[in-house]
Amino acid sequence: MSEFMIRRLLQSAIVILAMSAIVFFGVNVVGDPVDMLINPEADQADIEATIRALGLDRPIGEQYLFFLKGIWVGDFGKSFIFGQPALQLILQRMPATMELAFAALFLSIVIGIPLGLFAGLRPESNVSKGIMAGSIMGFSLPTFWVGLMMIIIFAVELGWLPSTGRGDTATFLGMTSSLFTLDGLSHVCLPAFNLALLKISLVVRLTRAGTREAVHQDYIKFARAKGLSSRRIVGVHLLKNILIPVVTVIGLEFGSLIAFSVVTETIFAWPGMGKLLIESILVLDRPVIVAYLMIIVALFVLINLVVDIVYSLLDPRVRLKDQGA
Amino acid sequence: MSVAEDTLEKTSSQRDGSAVPTLVVENLKTHFFTRAGAVKAVDDVSFSVKAGEILGLAGESGSGKSITGFSVLGLIDPPGRIVSGAIRFNGEDLVTASPERLQDLRGNRIAMIFQDPMMTLNPVLRVDTQMIEAIQAHRKMDRKAARQRAYDALEMVGIPSPGERLNAYPHQLSGGMRQRVAIAIAFLNEPDLIIADEPTTALDVTIQAQILHEAQALCRRTGTAMIWITHDLAVVAGLADRIAVMYAGRIVETGQTDEVIDHPLHPYSVGLLGSVPSANKRGDRLNQIPGMTPSLIGLPSGCAFKARCPRADDHCDATPEVIEEMPGREIRCHHPHRQEAGA
Amino acid sequence: MTVEITQQSADADAGLAITQEETAAAIETPFRRFVSEFLESRLALGALFTLGAIILAAIFAPFITPQDPYDLAQVDILDGRLPPGSEAFTEYTMWLGSDGAGRDLYSAILYGLRISLAVGITSGIIAIAIGMSVGLSAAYIGGRFETFVMRIVDLQLSFPAALVALMLVALLGKGIDKIILALVVAQWAYYARTVRGSALVERSKEYVEAAASLGLSHARIMFRHILPNCLAPLIVVGTIQTAHAIALEATLSFLGVGLPQTEPSLGVLIANGFEYMLSGKYWISVFPGIALLITIVSINLVGDQLRDVLNPRLKR
């Protein structure tokens, strides 16, 4: 077990190192580092000073080590626009993004699983066919386009829900979130649903496939032969079996929720780190871009690591293989 | 009060009234309506079982024996459907019964044991959960009492240290142990009828013998009627009181176990018995029924066995009717092995 | 692969050796069968027609539009933001209305479609070429090279394609070349994995050994013998990936980090209309959006049907 953990941790470290190299050389070799790392509005003396301060006159290998050292202590440089350390800026925006991602995760489970169950239990009914058609649409429609449609319908035409911003926030158990106020909740509705759409489609498919497989299993027929109510058969016997793989996949997809929040946040003016990234790209605020990229890579690596480890704890076969190795 | 004692009392009263069979199946037809055509899985099947009696339902895979069992339980899923016939359970017709009534009877008055013990218990639920829910689905009983009853049932089927097993997940038990749990679940509500669908096929031979013995003893003791579905005549030979042999959705021969085993009348039963290795045939060539089980879609008219039957002739193009050779001995054949039977 | 199967089954059915003529017949039937199976689904047929119409409309855009929306001489700013069906100063009806700069939306959409399709297809072709070479050589060479290459592929596939593309445009900046590069990098790994998967299966088959024993060169075995048998899954993945690429480009352009205003793809048009949307001038965003939608959905439907027809495992 511990050997597996160490190997996995090492792999993760290598991935992060490799990504740091890609990001570094992307910024420093493909583009002109002076352009990219120095505020374009600085004067000549400033530029000279900053070049020296940033070590841009040194050999490229040395610069990379310097960059790595910066990452290690969490120093990505200061934002040109805000004048704050880039990392701090991103961390400030992170709660809003997490809140949106969690809300979307919640929606994808509470909407996706019942719909998938229904479609799996009654595959021939028209409602199920509608659900599956909807999930195909959910996969193929671009998120931003659905977001626009949602704004037109629910915010502009019907005027039911607000389409921009995060609304009021409140602090509960030390966490500040708009999920704790009614106004905040009304603001989170549209963006969360927009972000969740792809995942809902995914969960519907997974649940439906799991259900269709499970209903033909003997243990379901045996449960029926015991005279259990269909509510208990579906709610306990079936659901408990299909939930494990579905939850695993949803966990793995959390990273992509955060990544895709870039689009949703921009459309709904949600003040999270995704919106910050787009704004930074538009104004060429390189330190923030670099910091965001490294954070999102680290996040992905971390999620994969956690899911791998949890899975190896849950699935006896994975454990066995590791002991054999 | 333990389950065993509980059921013993009932037994005597039921034995007295055993003149009325627990289950009577009359002209049952269960068909599956697939795109390729109607599959006549069960086609005009009639039989009955009395309290405390074990009926062996034998046939090759695909002969419709399992579907017959599922029909009795009302567990036929689309595209399958009971087309006609009657299933009378203690006098009540199950074909016309409401789904609620059937659900109420299932696991309560009629229980079923499945073939593969590895698959029948839900892998993610503990044994006690799966036993207690079976009790609570049919009677108001608090969890503690229900657990005690589950404990007694496990003890009754010969499971050592039932307390530990109750807390176990199915994958922590061996195959034989799991099948005992399934049998214990079947007996939990003291049913009048148990349908056992090849419950020992997936088990080791030694465990098979133990389970057969225990199931038989339990039936005798509790007066439960049992239908034991199998493809292996050797298994039912020592177990069942009567045997019904199925072929291509029809029962081709019924009779007392000894008579059917010693003097089979239908050519198919003869072939089936010839392919069973046994001590007194050692050194002889094992017989084999030529050909394959026919596809049940678009079965030609007449006797379904005629293509494989050594005795078939033009008469066999007409569907043979059920002939009562002697009381309790029925066959569907134009050319039964009467000479051998008489010899 | 289909050819192989038919030959084998024909062999088995007839129990006879196949003569030259029969082989020719067997080669022709799989394609016909493929076409007839594909056309079994009316939905897929409709999608195929729609897709054909879209591609033709994009190619012949200059001939079927009333104006070249990017020729300043033909556009009048006074025609700006006209609702659908309005009469323009330039004396034709703007059936889909006009955008903020007075361009006829119908014309702008067809011209935008050209750019969107061109970017999606170009990036797809380059990504297929790279992914195919990498996947094929990984499967053919094997050993450490394969392990190393597939590690990279797996690593990249653990990130969503959209994120990979976004990271690249964040690093590289705007521009049509950069978008194509980003889309290629985001997609090649899917093709590499697909090709390697089916190439591994093919490589273990006898006819490859036979080809090698005949002394054929590696390149010839790889490209003339193994590759054609990997084409079916490649076509399926390619179709669906192209739809993804088009959607991805539109997303990036909508966010303002994709194509510049000088290359007005559908995504750029939608982004330009976004600011008018809240004031009720929905058509500037919605019509290009619908065009994008129809394109993506019809490619996906065609791709789904291709998968069902080409993948024997899914046959019921």
Side-chain angles (χ1 to χ4, degrees):
Chain A
M1 191 67 227
S2 59
E3 192 202 317
F4 168 77
M5 291 253 215
I6 291 168
R7 215 171 50 217
R8 239 1 231 95
L9 275 169
L10 253 163
Q11 272 177 13
S12 308
I14 291 171
V15 170
I16 293 183
L17 204 66
M19 290 310 291
S20 74
I22 291 171
V23 171
F24 175 79
F25 289 101
V27 172
N28 290 275
V29 180
V30 180
D32 179 0
V34 179
D35 270 3
M36 294 190 159
L37 285 169
I38 297 171
N39 190 343
E41 280 151 34
D43 62 30
Q44 197 56 38
D46 264 356
I47 292 176
E48 299 281 318
T50 330
I51 285 179
R52 265 193 307 280
L54 290 174
L56 291 180
D57 46 351
R58 306 274 179 75
I60 191 86
E62 205 175 312
Q63 285 184 41
Y64 177 57
L65 288 179
F66 189 75
F67 171 75
L68 279 185
K69 206 180 116 207
I71 294 182
W72 185 250
V73 297
D75 176 14
F76 291 92
K78 280 187 178 175
S79 157
F80 302 150
I81 309 296
F82 299 91
Q84 280 176 324
L87 186 67
Q88 188 194 330
L89 253 179
I90 290 174
L91 292 181
Q92 278 170 3
R93 308 286 185 101
M94 204 185 252
T97 298
M98 290 292 175
E99 170 184 299
L100 191 60
F102 273 113
L105 196 68
F106 175 76
L107 284 181
S108 59
I109 292 171
V110 298
I111 297 175
I113 289 180
L115 291 184
L117 262 181
F118 187 90
L121 291 173
R122 303 202 197 296
E124 298 301 323
S125 96
N126 284 329
V127 177
S128 302
K129 284 175 184 160
I131 291 172
M132 291 322 288
S135 108
I136 292 171
M137 292 299 261
F139 270 116
S140 46
L141 301 189
T143 307
F144 81 93
W145 165 250
V146 180
L148 288 186
M149 288 301 107
M150 284 165 62
I151 291 181
I152 290 187
I153 295 168
F154 295 105
V156 179
E157 291 297 323
L158 298 173
W160 288 353
L161 292 163
S163 69
T164 55
R166 199 178 168 199
D168 298 337
T169 58
T171 305
F172 180 69
L173 295 175
M175 282 192 300
T176 304
S177 167
S178 54
L179 297 179
F180 304 135
T181 68
L182 217 57
D183 180 56
L185 277 177
S186 73
H187 278 81
V188 91
C189 271
L190 287 182
F193 187 73
N194 182 229
L195 186 56
L197 207 69
L198 207 68
K199 302 300 158 207
I200 294 175
S201 309
L202 182 70
V203 172
V204 165
R205 284 201 170 188
L206 283 173
T207 312
R208 175 177 174 270
T211 307
R212 294 207 58 185
E213 203 185 306
V215 288
H216 296 296
Q217 297 286 325
D218 273 1
Y219 62 80
I220 295 296
K221 215 155 192 183
F222 187 59
R224 289 171 66 194
K226 287 198 293 188
L228 302 184
S229 66
S230 34
R231 239 181 84 181
R232 183 159 176 99
I233 293 172
V234 172
V236 176
H237 286 256
L238 197 101
L239 206 57
K240 232 181 162 170
N241 270 285
I242 56 180
L243 227 46
I244 295 169
V246 170
V247 166
T248 312
V249 173
I250 295 174
L252 265 174
E253 291 288 318
F254 187 69
S256 88
L257 271 180
I258 290 174
F260 277 103
S261 71
V262 170
V263 179
T264 301
E265 285 176 11
T266 307
I267 301 169
F268 292 93
W270 189 265
M273 51 193 227
K275 184 162 175 285
L276 178 69
L277 172 72
I278 295 297
E279 286 164 358
S280 303
I281 295 175
L282 294 179
V283 297
L284 301 178
D285 196 349
R286 304 285 173 182
V288 179
I289 298 173
V290 169
Y292 177 90
L293 293 185
M294 288 314 297
I295 284 177
I296 199 100
V297 166
L299 205 68
F300 260 87
V301 169
L302 187 73
I303 289 171
N304 283 339
L305 183 70
V306 168
V307 171
D308 266 12
I309 289 174
V310 169
Y311 208 80
S312 78
L313 291 175
L314 287 179
D315 192 336
R317 279 167 307 176
V318 178
R319 235 177 320 178
L320 226 68
K321 203 172 75 187
D322 191 54
Q323 278 165 357
Chain B
M1 187 162 55
S2 81
V3 178
E5 287 171 63
D6 198 10
T7 40
L8 268 175
E9 286 171 31
K10 195 183 69 180
T11 309
S12 45
S13 63
Q14 271 198 348
R15 276 266 160 88
D16 299 337
S18 63
V20 179
T22 307
L23 180 77
V24 181
V25 172
E26 282 168 2
N27 308 106
L28 178 70
K29 290 188 180 186
T30 304
H31 297 177
F32 286 76
F33 299 91
T34 65
R35 262 182 228 165
V39 180
K40 299 178 177 176
V42 178
D43 199 22
D44 201 9
V45 160
S46 306
F47 64 88
S48 66
V49 207
K50 287 182 293 219
E53 184 185 46
I54 300 178
L55 171 73
L57 192 56
E60 291 167 294
S61 49
S63 60
K65 53 198 195 312
S66 296
I67 302 298
T68 308
F70 283 122
S71 302
V72 173
L73 278 167
L75 284 181
I76 299 293
D77 289 323
R81 185 156 58 81
I82 296 178
V83 180
S84 65
I87 302 171
R88 257 182 273 285
F89 175 70
N90 290 335
E92 178 183 357
D93 188 9
L94 300 187
V95 174
T96 53
S98 69
E100 293 75 26
R101 177 64 186 148
L102 283 171
Q103 185 188 321
D104 189 38
L105 286 173
R106 276 199 295 267
N108 188 12
R109 310 309 334 138
I110 310 174
M112 186 151 182
I113 306 167
F114 286 55
Q115 178 170 4
D116 188 351
M118 299 303 186
M119 310 296 292
T120 43
L121 297 178
N122 194 322
V124 298
L125 297 176
R126 285 194 338 199
V127 169
D128 59 351
T129 314
Q130 302 194 45
M131 295 188 78
I132 291 168
E133 67 180 6
I135 300 169
Q136 289 183 333
H138 299 293
R139 57 196 65 194
K140 285 197 171 19
M141 188 182 270
D142 66 51
R143 203 185 141 78
K144 204 172 156 224
R147 199 169 194 282
Q148 182 58 44
R149 198 185 177 93
Y151 184 98
D152 294 340
L154 288 186
E155 208 163 39
M156 187 179 77
V157 295
I159 286 184
S161 50
E164 277 173 44
R165 309 291 180 226
L166 278 176
N167 286 329
Y169 282 95
H171 68 89
Q172 294 167 313
L173 306 177
S174 69
M177 203 66 94
R178 279 189 237 184
Q179 197 59 294
R180 279 182 198 174
V181 171
I183 292 172
I185 291 176
F187 277 97
L188 267 180
N189 290 314
E190 304 147 25
D192 300 324
L193 172 69
I194 290 181
I195 299 167
D197 186 2
E198 308 214 25
T200 57
T201 310
L203 301 177
D204 288 347
V205 180
T206 43
I207 307 206
Q208 210 174 39
Q210 286 174 18
I211 298 233
L212 281 173
H213 176 74
E214 274 157 21
Q216 191 178 30
L218 277 170
C219 268
R220 297 279 182 262
R221 212 164 75 210
T222 58
T224 307
M226 188 179 247
I227 299 172
W228 193 283
I229 297 170
T230 184
H231 66 274
D232 188 352
L233 275 174
V235 165
V236 278
L239 172 81
D241 302 305
R242 283 192 303 124
I243 287 181
V245 179
M246 266 189 100
Y247 185 78
R250 288 188 185 138
I251 292 184
V252 292
E253 177 161 9
T254 338
Q256 295 298 319
T257 304
D258 300 346
E259 286 173 21
V260 175
I261 298 287
D262 296 341
H263 308 291
L265 292 175
H266 195 283
Y268 176 65
S269 314
V270 175
L272 206 57
L273 280 163
S275 59
V276 176
S278 69
N280 52 18
K281 286 192 292 188
R282 186 171 305 158
D284 293 355
R285 261 185 93 89
L286 278 179
N287 286 317
Q288 192 189 342
I289 306 175
M292 305 243 298
T293 323
S295 155
L296 294 174
I297 297 175
L299 211 57
S301 65
C303 176
F305 191 57
K306 70 184 172 198
R308 301 168 75 187
C309 182
R311 301 183 150 220
D313 60 19
D314 293 346
H315 286 92
C316 302
D317 291 337
T319 308
E321 290 305 314
V322 177
I323 313 163
E324 184 158 20
E325 276 288 300
M326 51 188 98
R329 192 98 165 85
E330 293 174 348
I331 44 168
R332 262 180 195 270
C333 183
H334 295 296
H335 309 289
H337 286 243
R338 286 202 183 101
Q339 289 89 340
E340 285 95 322
Chain C
M1 196 160 71
T2 38
V3 175
E4 264 280 310
I5 289 167
T6 333
Q7 283 184 3
Q8 278 168 1
S9 60
D11 231 351
D13 286 349
L16 296 166
I18 310 176
T19 67
Q20 203 67 36
E21 288 157 40
E22 275 168 332
T23 318
I27 289 170
E28 209 182 298
T29 36
F31 181 71
R32 274 198 202 147
R33 194 186 59 203
F34 163 72
V35 170
S36 71
E37 272 182 29
F38 185 92
L39 300 182
E40 257 175 36
S41 158
R42 262 183 293 167
L43 190 64
L45 185 63
L48 192 65
F49 265 114
T50 315
L51 189 59
I54 288 171
I55 292 173
L56 287 179
I59 293 173
F60 297 107
F63 306 104
I64 53 173
T65 52
Q67 64 165 213
D68 175 354
Y70 304 103
D71 178 358
L72 290 177
Q74 295 182 37
V75 176
D76 194 330
I77 190 77
L78 292 174
D79 282 338
R81 302 191 294 281
L82 291 177
S86 307
E87 196 78 20
F89 279 88
T90 32
E91 316 243 306
Y92 48 79
T93 315
M94 291 180 164
W95 292 110
L96 302 182
S98 67
D99 73 358
R103 286 186 279 257
D104 171 41
L105 260 181
Y106 164 69
S107 314
I109 287 171
L110 286 196
Y111 276 80
L113 206 51
R114 291 183 122 185
I115 299 168
S116 288
L117 284 177
V119 168
I121 292 170
T122 312
S123 68
I125 289 172
I126 301 174
I128 286 177
I130 296 175
M132 200 170 69
S133 320
V134 170
L136 256 186
S137 33
Y140 196 79
I141 296 168
R144 286 214 182 135
F145 176 74
E146 184 181 19
T147 316
F148 176 71
V149 168
M150 293 325 286
R151 270 281 159 80
I152 295 179
V153 168
D154 284 344
L155 175 63
Q156 196 189 317
L157 291 179
S158 70
F159 296 92
L163 182 65
V164 174
L166 186 68
M167 289 175 88
L168 277 160
V169 296
L171 291 173
L172 303 175
K174 275 187 172 187
I176 197 163
D177 48 341
K178 285 157 187 163
I179 289 300
I180 291 178
L181 177 63
L183 292 178
V184 168
V185 173
Q187 292 182 82
W188 74 277
Y190 292 92
Y191 295 116
R193 189 179 59 178
T194 309
V195 171
R196 174 184 168 261
S198 34
L200 273 185
V201 176
E202 287 305 316
R203 202 176 70 122
S204 59
K205 287 190 181 160
E206 275 174 28
Y207 74 93
V208 173
E209 261 175 54
S213 67
L214 285 174
L216 299 183
S217 75
H218 291 310
R220 195 176 163 82
I221 294 175
M222 268 167 70
F223 286 100
R224 294 300 299 273
H225 292 264
I226 297 182
L227 183 61
N229 290 299
C230 307
L231 280 183
L234 196 62
I235 290 169
V236 173
V237 175
T239 326
I240 292 171
Q241 277 299 321
T242 304
H244 280 179
I246 292 172
L248 194 51
E249 176 272 313
T251 304
L252 293 173
S253 298
F254 173 79
L255 293 176
V257 296
L259 292 174
Q261 288 294 334
T262 49
E263 307 283 352
S265 71
L266 292 176
V268 175
L269 293 181
I270 298 169
N272 289 343
F274 186 39
E275 55 179 308
Y276 300 109
M277 195 145 155
L278 293 177
S279 57
K281 297 187 176 58
Y282 64 92
W283 61 90
I284 309 179
S285 254
V286 168
F287 289 137
I290 290 174
L292 176 70
L293 224 64
I294 295 173
T295 311
I296 292 172
V297 171
S298 53
I299 299 179
N300 273 331
L301 286 175
V302 169
D304 274 357
Q305 182 70 1
L306 279 175
R307 185 182 52 207
D308 289 353
V309 174
L310 288 177
N311 191 343
R313 274 176 308 167
L314 287 173
K315 274 188 196 150
R316 286 170 290 263

